[in-house]
Amino acid sequence: MPVQHAHLQHPDVRRDPPLPPRAGAEEEDSAPVDDVPTSSEGALLWKVKQIDETSAHWAWRFPLANLNKEERKQHFSRELPLADHSWRVMVMDRHYIQPHQGGHGQCWISIYVDLVEAHTFQHNQQLQAHFAIILVNKDPEKNNRKESNHSFTCSEYDRGFAQFVTIDDIFNPAKGWIHTSFDGSECLLIEVQVKDGSRPTSSPANILKCPREHGFSVGLKNQGATCYLNSLMQTLYHLSYFRNSVYALPTEDSESGSPTGTGASPTQPPKRSITLALQRLFCKMQLSDEPIETKELTESFGWNKEQAFQQHDIQELMRLLSDYLEKKMKGTESEGMFNKLFEGKMRAYVKCCNVPYESSRDEAFYEVHVCVRDCANIYESMDKEVLPERLDGDNKYDAESHGKQPADKGTEFKKFPPVLFIHLKRFEFNFATEMQIKVNSRYEFYDEISMKPGIMLTPDGQGSRHCLDPDDTENNYLLFAVMVHAGSAYGGHYYAFLKSISKEGKTVWLKYDDERVSIVKEQQAISDNFGGRDPNKWWEKERGESIRSAYMLVYIKKSEWSKYCFPLGEQDMPAHVRDALISEQKEEQKRRKEKEEQHRYFHFKIVTEADFKRYDKQEPHHDLYKFDAHPITKVEREMRWQDFKEHVSELTGCSAQCLRLWQWNKRNNKTNRPDTVVDKNRWNSSAIKPDMPLDEIFFQQQRGAHFLDMDLEPIELFVEQSQDSLPVMEADSALLLLKHYDPVEETLRYIGHYICKSKSEKLLVTKDHLNDLLGRPQDAELDVYEEIRKSMIERRDWSKSIKDQELDHGDILIVQVPPAEIVTNTPLQRPNATDYFTYLNDQLIVRFYEKKDPTKESCKISLLKGMDFGTVCDYLAREVQVKATHIRLWPMSVDRDGPSSKPLRMEERASLQYMTNGQKERDKKERVLYWEELSIPLEEMEQKIPLKIVPFSPAVVPQNEVELLCDKNDTVDDVLQKLQESKQVPEGAIHMLKVMQCRIDSILPGATKISELQTTHVRVEAPPVHPDTLCTDEDIEWGDTEKWPRVWATQKKDNSRLVQVQHIAPDTMNTPHSHPFLFWVLDNETADQCKERLRLKLKQTEDTFKRWTLALHAGSYQAPTKFQGNEDILSMLKDADVGQVGDQAESRLALIHKDPHKKSLYAGQALSLNVNS
C-alpha cells in the first residue's frame, strides 16, 4: 500500500489512498489490550483509561516478532470504542524513506490513528479529533511523543507519522525501545491518547429539529450581532415566574401594532410597545416549531438595522430592560416582581479597630459582580468581595468624636435573592495599554453552591460555607443558567446553557446558540466553560487559554426552585396575544401550503372593460389599469380550455361564446397592454381545441417558480366582450382601445374598444363608432391622439391608414371634441389632450409634516413639479391656516427618517422638483416636505444670522443651547449683552470662544462682527479664574492669540500660565474628543498636583480619573508626552514652545482617555431603549 513519505519536520501525514474494508497484507492484534501497563507520561495505568466521555488513553503491546518478517505489512490493534466511534492503531513496518541528497535511505516504523467507520461517512461528513502517539522508552524521559489534530473523513480516514523511529534504533538495545511482555516475548509499548471532537454541543446529532416536541422552546434568529439579546431572552423565558409576570401586563390597547406613545414615521409603519413585543416573543417561543425573529422586539427598542449589527453587553441590557419593565409594572398585579425575584440586601460598613465606633448603611442589589482575575473559583471571588479594606495612615477614618481612627471598610451580604444573577467581571481596562481586555483565566463554578448571609469569612480566610451541606436547602443554590462569551473584548459570540425539564420529567441541560437548540451533558454546560486551561486534560496542556468562558451565572434557591420554574401552558398567555399569534400561524401555514401547491396551478388576474371604467374614477392616470390590488384567480393547470372559458364567463357575467381573451404584455417602452390574443397553443402554435389543457396553452409561463422558491407572477388577461357575436379576427386585424378627454371637466375616461378588420384601412373607419359611444352625430368632428407611453402622446390623422400610423393590438386612441367647438364661460386651462398629459406628468402628491412633530402628517396636496417656493407655500398656508410668508420648508433627510439638518437653500427653491430631489419613495408620484412656522417673515429672517450659543459651567459642562438671530452688523459684545439682558447666561464677566474640531481656536474679541465669524456655533463661559485669590485682572497679561506659538495668558507676578487642555483618545491618531477648556498651570507645580486640580475642576471621581493620563501635546502631528508625576509642567511647556512654527502651533495639555460618547466594538458599550414605548 503506497504511503506518503514525510520527514521529521513534517510529521503530520496520512496514508493514501483509503482502502476500506482492509484486507490483504494486514494483521490484527489478537492479544488483549487491557493487560498492557502504560506509562501515562510517567504514571502506571492498567487497562484502558477513560478520562471522560470524549477522551481516552490506552496502550498496545506490539510484538517485536512482526518486524522480523521480510515483507512489509500493516498491523492493526483491536478496536477501541470512544464516544460514538471506534478507533484503532496501525503500525506500518519497514517504511523506506529515500534520502534528500546522496547518502543511504533508512527504514522507519510508521504509526497512525485510524477511525474504523470513516469509510461509511457521507461526502460532507467529518469528525474533528486531537490525538497523541507515544512510543514508550525504558527511560520515561526519553519517550517519543507526537501529537496532531485532524478532520477524519471518508477519504482521509486516518492520520499519523511516517517517520516515528528507525528500525535500526528499535533493534539497538542501548536505545531502550524493546520491552518484555508477560509471556517473555519482546515487544514495543505504544500509547495512544484521543480527544474525540464528535460530540460538541452544536453537533448535528444533538441539535433538536423541533424543540417543542420535547417540551422546550425554540431558538432565536440572529439579526447580525444580537446573540447577547438571544441569550438573555432565553434565560428570562425559562424563568417561568418572570415570564408569567410579563404575560400579566395589560397590552390590549397596544395590540395590532398600534403604538403606545409613539407615532408612525412617513416611511415606516408604527411600532409595537416593548411590553407587547416581549409578550409576543415569549408566546411565539412557546407556540412555534421553528426559530423566531427578534426584529419586532429590537424595533420596539427604537433600534435601527445598524444597531442590530453592533455587539452589546448582556449585563447592561438586563439592567435597562429591568428599569423599563419595573416602571411598566407599577399599578399592575405584576408590581414588585423584580424585588421579589432579584433583590438582595447588603450592608456597607466601616468599623474602627481601636474604638467602639461603627458606621453602616443597608443597600439593595440585583446582581453580584465578582472578580475573575486571581480567583480560582466562585467562592474565592465572594471572599474577595467581602474582604475588608484597612483604612490606615493618611487614609484613616474620621470617627466623629473619636477623631481619625484606623478602621476596616467592607461589605456584608445580609440576604441573597431567590434568583441570583452573578456577573463575572471578565472585561477589564488595562492601564498600561489603555485598552479593554478580556480575562480568559480558568474560573470554576459549581452546579450547587452555598450562599450563607453574613461576612462569610473566618479569621483564616476559609469560611465554613466552602463545605457544601446538602441538607441546608435555605442557603444552597442550584445553577439555572450559564451565559457564555466566546471571543475577545472587541467582539465575540454569546450563547446560553439552561437547565430545563423535558416532557418526560427529566432534568436536562440545553444549549441555546441562536436558532440552534441542543441537549448537552452537564460537563459541557459547566466545566467546559471555566475558561483557561484544565491541568487534568492532556490535550489542553500545550494550547493557550480558552477564549470561551462563562460571563453570567444564574442560580436559584434550592428550596424555592419549583416556585420560580414551573410549566406554563397556552391558557397562561395573554388571550389577545395568543389569539393573534395563532391566527398569524394559520395564515402562515396557509401561505406555505399554497406555495407548496402552486406548481399545480396557474394564477390569473382577469380584467374587463368595467374594471377600466371603475379605475378611471379613482384618480387621474396614464395607461389602462393598475393590477396591484386586483384579485387573483387560481386555476388548475390541467383544466380544459372550454371549462376555463366557462369559469371566466361566471366571473364576468358574459356568455362563453361572446368573449375573447387577450394576454397583457409589458412592452419595451414600459407600458402594459393587452396585445396578444389567446387563440394558439404556445408550444407548437396550433389552434386551441376545447379539450386542450391550460398547461399546453400557457406553456413556459410560471414554470420553475416552485423549484426556485419564487412567488408566481400572475398571468394578466383582458376579456373582450360582445353583446352578440364577436368580430372575426384576421391576421391583419387590430384591437384598438378607446379613451375620451373632456377639456371642460379635465377628465380622461375609457369608453370602449374597436376591432379593425385590416390595418390597411384608414383610421376614419373608427370615427362613426367613436361618435356613437360619445352620443354625437356620426359626421361630428373629433380630434384623435395616440397614447404611446406615460410621457408621450402624438396626434393621429383620420385620413391615413392604421398601418401607416403604426397602430397595433393594444394601442390606445384618445379622442376629444375640438377646443374651437367648446363654449365655456371661462378659458380652458388644458384645451387638448397634450396639455392634460403634460399636467399629469408634472403632478406630484406632497405630504407635509410639521418639523416639531415629524410623525404626524399635516396634509396631502396635489402640486406641480414646476411650482416655485412661494406658490407651494401659498397652497400649504391655505391648508394649515398660517401666513405663507412665515413658512420655512425643510427637505427630507437622505439617510434617515425625518427632516434634514438644514432648511431649503435659496438655490433649492426654484421649483418643487428641486425641493424634493433625491427622495426615495415607493410611489414615485409622492414626496415629503417638512414645514415650520416662523415668528417673523422668512425673507426678514434670512437677512439675519442665526447663531447657536452653548453656555458652559466652570466644570466644563455644556448647558442648554441658545439660538439668537443676529443682525449682520452685530458684534460679539452686542451678542453677549443680549444674552445677559435675557438672563440666559449668569451675570458677571463672560467671553466667547470659537471651538473647531474639539480644539479652542480663539477667544473672540468683543469688536468682532458676527458676520465675520465663519461659524454658526460658539461657546460662552466665564474667563478662567486664577487659583491665587490675590491675583487681580491687572496682574494678568493676555497674549496675542494670532501669534504662533500661541500663549493665551500669563501672570505678571510669577510664571503661571494659561494653557489649553484637550481630551484625546488613546489611539494612534491622537483623536480629540469632548470639550476643551483653558486652565491655569502654576509655577513650580508638578504633574501630579496639576492632575489633582484638573480632577476637582472636572468633578471626576478618583476611580474614574486614575484611568486618565496627563500628557504634554505639542501638536496634532506629534505623539503626546505622558507625565510620570514629578515633572515641572511649566518648564516642559516652555521647552515645547521652542521651535514651534506655522499655523495652530501651540503647546497644550492633554487628558488621554477613551471617548465616552463613541460607540466601541467591545462588549460593554452604551445601550438605550425607547422608554416612551
Side-chain angles (χ1 to χ4, degrees):
M1 181 177 185
V3 178
Q4 292 185 356
H5 299 291
H7 298 279
L8 288 176
Q9 62 269 32
H10 303 291
D12 191 8
V13 298
R14 68 175 181 87
R15 294 181 294 126
D16 185 51
L19 294 174
R22 300 162 179 85
E26 300 177 355
E27 293 183 355
E28 183 168 310
D29 179 32
S30 57
V33 297
D34 296 348
D35 297 334
V36 182
T38 66
S39 71
S40 182
E41 304 288 326
L44 290 179
L45 291 176
W46 295 86
K47 301 183 180 294
V48 175
K49 181 182 180 183
Q50 188 87 9
I51 299 177
D52 57 33
E53 293 184 342
T54 61
S55 58
H57 182 170
W58 63 80
W60 178 30
R61 172 181 47 77
F62 179 75
L64 196 63
N66 291 337
L67 301 181
N68 294 324
K69 300 178 181 179
E70 295 181 359
E71 68 275 12
R72 189 181 65 178
K73 286 188 177 182
Q74 299 172 12
H75 310 274
F76 289 91
S77 71
R78 299 182 64 182
E79 293 183 6
L80 301 163
L82 176 61
D84 295 332
H85 306 285
S86 296
W87 302 82
R88 58 182 177 178
V89 184
M90 190 277 290
V91 174
M92 181 184 294
D93 59 9
R94 300 186 182 279
H95 186 180
Y96 183 75
I97 303 296
Q98 292 284 356
H100 276 292
Q101 297 177 350
H104 299 285
Q106 288 183 307
C107 287
W108 296 75
I109 286 182
S110 305
I111 307 177
Y112 300 87
V113 174
D114 178 77
L115 180 60
V116 177
E117 64 269 28
H119 67 278
T120 63
F121 282 7
Q122 299 297 322
H123 178 69
N124 60 348
Q125 190 175 358
Q126 65 177 9
L127 184 147
Q128 181 71 31
H130 184 99
F131 65 91
I133 301 175
I134 307 163
L135 186 61
V136 180
N137 197 283
K138 290 182 178 179
D139 182 356
E141 294 183 358
K142 295 181 180 180
N143 287 351
N144 189 353
R145 176 191 176 95
K146 299 181 181 181
E147 59 183 287
S148 179
N149 291 288
H150 183 56
S151 295
F152 291 85
T153 65
C154 59
S155 59
E156 297 187 359
Y157 57 84
D158 56 20
R159 195 73 167 179
F161 308 91
Q163 301 178 38
F164 213 97
V165 65
T166 64
I167 296 293
D168 293 341
D169 285 346
I170 290 290
F171 288 102
N172 185 348
K175 297 293 183 179
W177 296 114
I178 301 177
H179 298 261
T180 303
S181 182
F182 60 90
D183 60 357
S185 62
E186 294 180 329
C187 66
L188 300 178
L189 286 183
I190 301 173
E191 294 185 11
V192 177
Q193 297 170 328
V194 174
K195 168 65 176 175
D196 188 345
S198 64
R199 296 293 298 277
T201 54
S202 58
S203 168
N206 298 332
I207 293 178
L208 303 176
K209 293 183 178 179
C210 183
R212 192 181 174 206
E213 292 180 356
H214 303 269
F216 309 130
S217 67
V218 296
L220 300 174
K221 294 182 179 179
N222 195 330
Q223 296 184 45
T226 56
C227 50
Y228 67 98
L229 172 69
N230 295 347
S231 299
L232 181 59
M233 289 301 108
Q234 292 288 3
T235 302
L236 296 179
Y237 171 88
H238 282 77
L239 199 56
S240 309
Y241 192 93
F242 178 91
R243 179 167 30 126
N244 201 37
S245 298
V246 172
Y247 283 165
L249 291 174
T251 54
E252 290 84 352
D253 294 339
S254 53
E255 184 53 66
S256 302
S258 61
T260 302
T262 59
S265 70
T267 57
Q268 290 186 348
K271 303 179 181 69
R272 291 184 169 93
S273 69
I274 295 178
T275 311
L276 176 60
L278 191 59
Q279 285 181 345
R280 287 175 56 86
L281 177 66
F282 284 169
C283 290
K284 285 180 183 179
M285 293 167 68
Q286 191 168 340
L287 293 173
S288 178
D289 295 330
E290 297 179 353
I292 303 300
E293 292 272 6
T294 57
K295 188 177 180 181
E296 188 177 293
L297 180 63
T298 55
E299 285 180 347
S300 72
F301 291 167
W303 297 355
N304 54 28
K305 292 181 180 179
E306 179 185 351
Q307 287 172 295
F309 282 88
Q310 296 173 352
Q311 183 139 116
H312 297 290
D313 180 46
I314 288 180
Q315 183 259 337
E316 187 177 6
L317 177 61
M318 177 63 183
R319 178 181 57 80
L320 288 174
L321 192 61
S322 300
D323 292 343
Y324 172 84
L325 290 177
E326 198 167 9
K327 293 177 183 177
K328 290 295 179 181
M329 289 178 178
K330 289 184 178 179
T332 70
E333 61 180 275
S334 300
E335 184 173 0
M337 181 273 291
F338 275 92
N339 292 344
K340 186 174 182 180
L341 273 183
F342 308 119
E343 186 183 74
K345 297 293 183 181
M346 62 191 301
R347 185 176 70 94
Y349 66 90
V350 179
K351 186 176 182 180
C352 294
C353 302
N354 302 326
V355 296
Y357 183 88
E358 182 176 352
S359 173
S360 66
R361 70 178 186 276
D362 290 344
E363 298 175 352
F365 69 89
Y366 294 89
E367 56 191 14
V368 178
H369 305 269
V370 297
C371 186
V372 173
R373 183 176 295 278
D374 300 327
C375 294
N377 54 53
I378 191 171
Y379 289 125
E380 288 190 13
S381 291
M382 295 301 295
D383 285 346
K384 197 170 185 178
E385 289 301 309
V386 299
L387 184 66
E389 174 190 358
R390 177 58 58 90
L391 304 178
D392 205 349
D394 295 337
N395 201 26
K396 287 182 179 179
Y397 179 67
D398 186 0
E400 297 181 352
S401 60
H402 298 283
K404 296 281 187 176
Q405 293 289 333
D408 288 335
K409 178 183 177 181
T411 301
E412 174 190 3
F413 290 101
K414 298 181 66 177
K415 173 193 171 186
F416 285 102
V419 180
L420 178 61
F421 273 73
I422 301 179
H423 169 224
L424 309 184
K425 293 192 283 189
R426 288 276 182 186
F427 299 106
E428 294 181 351
F429 187 80
N430 188 314
F431 293 103
T433 62
E434 296 180 343
M435 297 177 68
Q436 197 85 356
I437 61 171
K438 182 182 178 185
V439 180
N440 288 316
S441 58
R442 183 175 175 83
Y443 181 88
E444 296 183 1
F445 52 93
Y446 313 103
D447 185 50
E448 185 174 357
I449 59 175
S450 173
M451 302 295 283
K452 294 180 181 179
I455 302 182
M456 299 192 192
L457 283 176
T458 55
D460 61 354
Q462 297 295 322
S464 59
R465 62 191 177 83
H466 291 243
C467 301
L468 184 69
D469 182 3
D471 298 327
D472 187 7
T473 58
E474 285 302 315
N475 294 318
N476 286 0
Y477 281 74
L478 296 176
L479 185 61
F480 168 69
V482 181
M483 285 172 265
V484 178
H485 178 267
S488 69
Y490 289 87
H493 179 59
Y494 287 96
Y495 50 91
F497 294 91
L498 291 157
K499 190 181 290 183
S500 185
I501 307 296
S502 66
K503 279 187 175 180
E504 296 78 18
K506 183 180 178 182
T507 300
V508 296
W509 276 99
L510 299 172
K511 179 183 179 183
Y512 283 90
D513 187 358
D514 291 334
E515 63 265 29
R516 295 177 295 277
V517 183
S518 50
I519 298 177
V520 299
K521 300 295 183 181
E522 182 178 297
Q523 168 198 332
Q524 294 168 311
I526 302 179
S527 60
D528 283 359
N529 298 303
F530 288 166
R533 288 186 293 262
D534 187 349
N536 297 320
K537 295 182 178 180
W538 59 269
W539 58 90
E540 293 187 4
K541 288 181 180 179
E542 303 299 328
R543 75 173 192 189
E545 291 182 329
S546 173
I547 61 172
R548 179 190 65 199
S549 54
Y551 179 67
M552 182 85 78
L553 307 175
V554 184
Y555 282 90
I556 298 179
K557 186 175 286 189
K558 187 174 183 179
S559 60
E560 301 183 13
W561 181 281
S562 59
K563 185 177 179 180
Y564 300 107
C565 293
F566 49 86
L568 287 175
E570 293 185 17
Q571 71 280 359
D572 300 303
M573 301 179 187
H576 63 287
V577 176
R578 180 193 62 226
D579 296 344
L581 290 178
I582 291 175
S583 177
E584 291 172 14
Q585 276 188 340
K586 289 180 179 178
E587 288 296 323
E588 177 64 17
Q589 291 171 359
K590 180 181 177 182
R591 190 193 67 80
R592 288 186 181 183
K593 185 177 180 181
E594 290 177 350
K595 195 161 188 175
E596 291 172 357
E597 296 179 350
Q598 68 180 5
H599 65 285
R600 297 174 44 213
Y601 296 91
F602 278 121
H603 288 186
F604 292 100
K605 286 188 175 182
I606 303 171
V607 297
T608 64
E609 291 183 328
D611 293 313
F612 296 162
K613 295 176 181 179
R614 193 180 306 110
Y615 183 57
D616 285 340
K617 297 177 181 179
Q618 295 179 7
E619 59 182 18
H621 61 89
H622 305 89
D623 233 324
L624 288 167
Y625 193 68
K626 195 172 183 179
F627 282 92
D628 294 352
H630 195 81
I632 292 176
T633 301
K634 190 168 70 171
V635 178
E636 290 186 0
R637 302 177 76 99
E638 299 302 320
M639 179 180 280
R640 297 183 307 159
W641 174 248
Q642 186 60 42
D643 296 336
F644 179 65
K645 289 187 69 175
E646 291 291 344
H647 184 66
V648 174
S649 174
E650 294 177 5
L651 293 175
T652 59
C654 178
S655 171
Q657 288 72 32
C658 299
L659 61 82
R660 181 163 39 217
L661 299 179
W662 294 79
Q663 187 169 343
W664 296 67
N665 290 299
K666 292 178 174 61
R667 299 180 175 181
N668 292 334
N669 62 2
K670 298 183 180 179
T671 59
N672 190 20
R673 303 288 174 80
D675 58 9
T676 304
V677 64
V678 184
D679 60 355
K680 293 181 180 179
N681 184 337
R682 291 294 184 90
W683 193 0
N684 53 21
S685 299
S686 60
I688 296 178
K689 298 178 181 179
D691 59 348
M692 184 176 289
L694 295 181
D695 200 24
E696 294 186 17
I697 300 171
F698 297 101
F699 182 73
Q700 293 294 351
Q701 299 200 34
Q702 298 183 346
R703 300 182 72 88
H706 170 68
F707 303 103
L708 297 176
D709 195 26
M710 297 167 53
D711 291 326
L712 295 179
E713 186 72 23
I715 301 171
E716 298 165 350
L717 297 178
F718 164 60
V719 182
E720 177 195 351
Q721 304 177 40
S722 176
Q723 296 291 339
D724 302 317
S725 58
L726 291 167
V728 178
M729 288 291 298
E730 303 292 344
D732 199 29
S733 298
L735 168 68
L736 300 179
L737 304 167
L738 310 174
K739 290 184 177 182
H740 171 242
Y741 172 60
D742 185 350
V744 179
E745 300 292 335
E746 290 191 2
T747 56
L748 186 65
R749 298 285 184 261
Y750 179 85
I751 56 176
H753 70 278
Y754 185 81
I755 299 291
C756 300
K757 294 181 180 179
S758 173
K759 295 177 184 177
S760 60
E761 293 180 322
K762 294 182 178 180
L763 187 58
L764 188 63
V765 300
T766 64
K767 191 173 183 181
D768 291 344
H769 179 67
L770 284 163
N771 277 318
D772 288 341
L773 292 174
L774 297 174
R776 291 167 56 83
Q778 291 191 351
D779 57 349
E781 287 300 318
L782 291 172
D783 291 341
V784 62
Y785 302 83
E786 181 191 358
E787 180 184 335
I788 299 175
R789 60 176 183 267
K790 176 181 177 181
S791 58
M792 186 175 182
I793 180 173
E794 292 183 357
R795 187 76 178 262
R796 290 291 175 251
D797 191 341
W798 295 111
S799 61
K800 291 184 179 180
S801 69
I802 295 172
K803 182 177 181 180
D804 291 343
Q805 300 187 78
E806 298 182 353
L807 295 173
D808 207 340
H809 290 318
D811 287 342
I812 300 174
L813 293 181
I814 299 175
V815 295
Q816 72 168 86
V817 176
E821 297 183 11
I822 300 174
V823 179
T824 60
N825 296 328
T826 58
L828 298 173
Q829 288 189 352
R830 300 171 185 89
N832 55 56
T834 304
D835 298 330
Y836 182 71
F837 265 71
T838 301
Y839 161 73
L840 286 183
N841 289 326
D842 288 345
Q843 188 183 41
L844 280 178
I845 307 298
V846 182
R847 290 181 288 157
F848 289 93
Y849 295 83
E850 194 169 3
K851 183 175 178 289
K852 66 182 180 182
D853 187 8
T855 63
K856 184 179 180 181
E857 183 178 316
S858 300
C859 58
K860 181 191 287 189
I861 308 176
S862 176
L863 304 171
L864 299 179
K865 295 178 183 177
M867 286 183 174
D868 60 16
F869 182 83
T871 306
V872 172
C873 289
D874 288 338
Y875 275 88
L876 176 61
R878 288 195 291 268
E879 292 288 336
V880 297
Q881 301 296 311
V882 299
K883 293 180 180 179
T885 56
H886 290 56
I887 291 177
R888 179 160 61 177
L889 297 180
W890 299 68
M892 185 178 179
S893 176
V894 296
D895 56 356
R896 58 180 175 83
D897 290 333
S900 177
S901 58
K902 295 182 180 180
L904 286 170
R905 302 188 300 271
M906 186 64 69
E907 60 270 19
E908 295 175 323
R909 301 179 192 168
S911 67
L912 180 61
Q913 185 170 5
Y914 281 108
M915 296 182 212
T916 59
N917 193 27
Q919 292 191 20
K920 298 178 181 179
E921 290 289 321
R922 289 189 292 271
D923 187 349
K924 296 181 180 180
K925 297 288 289 182
E926 288 198 355
R927 298 291 186 267
V928 172
L929 286 175
Y930 298 85
W931 67 276
E932 67 172 338
E933 183 182 8
L934 304 175
S935 58
I936 59 176
L938 177 62
E939 185 177 356
E940 180 182 343
M941 172 171 278
E942 290 181 336
Q943 299 302 314
K944 295 183 177 294
I945 300 174
L947 188 64
K948 293 184 178 179
I949 305 166
V950 182
F952 270 69
S953 72
V956 200
V957 177
Q959 310 300 310
N960 293 332
E961 184 180 83
V962 178
E963 185 171 359
L964 287 182
L965 294 176
C966 306
D967 294 329
K968 293 184 178 179
N969 293 324
D970 281 349
T971 63
V972 169
D973 283 341
D974 295 332
V975 172
L976 295 178
Q977 183 179 353
K978 289 179 181 178
L979 287 173
Q980 290 190 324
E981 288 175 354
S982 62
K983 297 183 178 181
Q984 293 175 305
V985 295
E987 295 181 357
I990 56 173
H991 61 193
M992 186 179 291
L993 305 178
K994 182 180 177 182
V995 181
M996 306 290 290
Q997 298 179 345
C998 301
R999 181 180 61 83
I1000 298 177
D1001 184 74
S1002 62
I1003 300 175
L1004 298 172
T1008 305
K1009 288 187 176 182
I1010 300 301
S1011 58
E1012 299 173 355
L1013 291 185
Q1014 298 180 343
T1015 182
T1016 59
H1017 292 74
V1018 294
R1019 174 169 147 185
V1020 170
E1021 63 185 32
V1025 179
H1026 196 282
D1028 186 357
T1029 56
L1030 300 178
C1031 179
T1032 63
D1033 293 341
E1034 290 75 16
D1035 295 332
I1036 296 176
E1037 182 179 353
W1038 290 91
D1040 186 354
T1041 57
E1042 299 301 323
K1043 291 184 179 180
W1044 305 97
R1046 172 182 288 165
V1047 177
W1048 295 93
T1050 57
Q1051 189 191 22
K1052 298 175 183 178
K1053 294 181 179 180
D1054 58 21
N1055 296 322
S1056 58
R1057 172 175 167 179
L1058 188 67
V1059 298
Q1060 180 176 178
V1061 181
Q1062 271 187 297
H1063 299 267
I1064 294 177
D1067 55 28
T1068 56
M1069 302 298 293
N1070 304 323
T1071 308
H1073 62 85
S1074 303
H1075 306 292
F1077 57 96
L1078 298 176
F1079 184 78
W1080 282 102
V1081 177
L1082 304 181
D1083 191 18
N1084 297 322
E1085 185 175 35
T1086 65
D1088 283 343
Q1089 293 169 341
C1090 182
K1091 186 176 180 182
E1092 176 61 17
R1093 287 200 304 115
L1094 285 168
R1095 183 186 72 81
L1096 296 174
K1097 177 178 178 62
L1098 298 176
K1099 295 184 177 180
Q1100 295 289 329
T1101 64
E1102 292 182 3
D1103 288 340
T1104 300
F1105 211 68
K1106 69 181 181 181
R1107 302 181 183 181
W1108 296 16
T1109 302
L1110 182 63
L1112 174 65
H1113 195 28
S1116 302
Y1117 302 102
Q1118 299 183 35
T1121 303
K1122 299 179 181 179
F1123 292 116
Q1124 300 302 316
N1126 56 356
E1127 299 92 340
D1128 187 327
I1129 292 185
L1130 278 181
S1131 299
M1132 295 188 67
L1133 284 170
K1134 291 177 182 179
D1135 293 342
D1137 289 338
V1138 179
Q1140 286 212 26
V1141 294
D1143 186 24
Q1144 298 183 7
E1146 176 190 355
S1147 299
R1148 49 189 179 267
L1149 297 180
L1151 288 171
I1152 304 175
H1153 61 100
K1154 64 180 182 179
D1155 186 351
H1157 307 290
K1158 183 180 179 181
K1159 294 179 179 178
S1160 55
L1161 296 175
Y1162 58 83
Q1165 62 183 308
L1167 266 173
S1168 63
L1169 301 185
N1170 181 11
V1171 295
N1172 294 321
S1173 64

